[in-house]
Amino acid sequence: MTDATTTPTGRVLLVGGGPGDPGLLTVAGRDALIAADVVVTDRLAPIAAIAEHAPQAEVIHVGKIPRGEFTPQERINELLVEHARAGKVVVRLKGGDGYLFGRGGEEWQHCTAAGIPVEIVPGVSSAFSVPALAGIPVTHRGLSQGVAVVSGHVAPEDPRSEVDWTALATSRLTIVILMGVATLGSIARALIAAGLPADTPAACIADGASPQQRTVRAALSEIASAADEGGFAPPAITVIGDVVDALEVASS
């Protein structure tokens, strides 16, 4: 039996909110919001879903703005533990899936090390859903037997880059790049230098799964210029490979 003076430990639910459209939030994600006392949310999470399903919850915004304001990851970890230790059901709401460049693994480790129960609610990944919404299948029979999802957060020539761009260039896989708007020119040059044909189809999709979604298509050698001319800014996803034209060719 719990002593009346002791607050029972709450729990943390790491919820992938999908690519942004509240309609693409999973049923399990919706149920997590309904149960939430506190929602710690990213900028790209489906904010409208919080108002609909968790109007009773305290909402804490910790989204990272590119080259702007952000909450350090260490502080986010602390917030999850602090509120759970106060006996709250805490939903950590992220865009896409929390385990794909969402640092969900780090949050899981921090909470479990602090003795906080953690539940995982996977989300619909923007890496696959946003291209689909733009009419691009990331794999397609006869064109691509696989897909590589990579971060473009740092340029290929940056010492911090851990991506083998040379291997990707010769892999014959579809390449999906997240967080790569600013580095797209450098990425394209690296892939071409490593042997990927300059005329490989590419597409950049901005503001995916929102009414503002827009797409620009160009050859790999021109995609960075086309995105820049179109005023594309984060969040945006780039797809490189023959699949970019798969459905257009099929329907022509």
Side-chain angles (χ1 to χ4, degrees):
M1 178 179 296
T2 302
D3 186 271
T5 62
T6 303
T7 301
T9 300
R11 58 194 172 111
V12 171
L13 294 87
L14 301 179
V15 178
D21 181 345
L24 295 175
L25 177 68
T26 66
V27 173
R30 178 205 64 192
D31 291 347
L33 286 175
I34 291 171
D37 298 307
V38 178
V39 179
V40 180
T41 183
D42 280 350
R43 180 174 65 95
L44 299 181
I47 303 299
I50 301 174
E52 180 178 358
H53 302 302
Q56 77 292 343
E58 176 186 356
V59 181
I60 303 173
H61 294 272
V62 296
K64 300 176 178 67
I65 299 175
R67 293 175 294 281
E69 295 182 1
F70 72 98
T71 302
Q73 184 62 48
E74 293 76 14
R75 179 55 185 153
I76 295 173
N77 295 345
E78 292 169 357
L79 285 168
L80 300 180
V81 170
E82 287 172 9
H83 286 282
R85 280 182 172 162
K88 305 292 182 64
V89 175
V90 184
V91 166
R92 173 69 171 108
L93 187 63
K94 300 170 176 288
D97 183 87
Y99 277 5
L100 182 62
F101 302 135
R103 305 188 76 166
E106 296 173 44
E107 292 168 357
W108 185 91
Q109 288 177 321
H110 188 85
C111 290
T112 53
I116 304 299
V118 185
E119 299 176 29
I120 306 300
V121 180
V124 176
S125 173
S126 60
F128 303 143
S129 59
V130 168
L133 292 169
I136 300 172
V138 294
T139 64
H140 192 74
R141 187 170 61 174
L143 294 179
S144 174
Q145 295 183 358
V147 55
V149 181
V150 295
S151 168
H153 181 64
V154 294
E157 66 273 15
D158 192 304
R160 297 172 296 167
S161 177
E162 299 175 352
V163 177
D164 189 340
W165 294 102
T166 299
L168 285 177
T170 58
S171 67
R172 302 183 68 182
L173 301 175
T174 301
I175 303 171
V176 176
I177 302 167
L178 307 185
M179 302 175 288
V181 175
T183 59
L184 188 51
S186 295
I187 290 171
R189 289 189 292 273
L191 290 171
I192 293 169
L196 191 61
D199 61 354
T200 300
C204 192
I205 311 150
D207 298 314
S210 78
Q212 293 76 39
Q213 177 175 311
R214 54 203 178 101
T215 305
V216 64
R217 299 171 188 246
L220 176 59
S221 59
E222 302 295 332
I223 190 61
S225 296
D228 186 59
E229 290 171 5
F232 278 43
I237 291 173
T238 300
V239 184
I240 300 169
D242 291 336
V243 294
V244 167
D245 293 337
L247 301 190
E248 286 196 344
V249 172
S251 61
S252 61

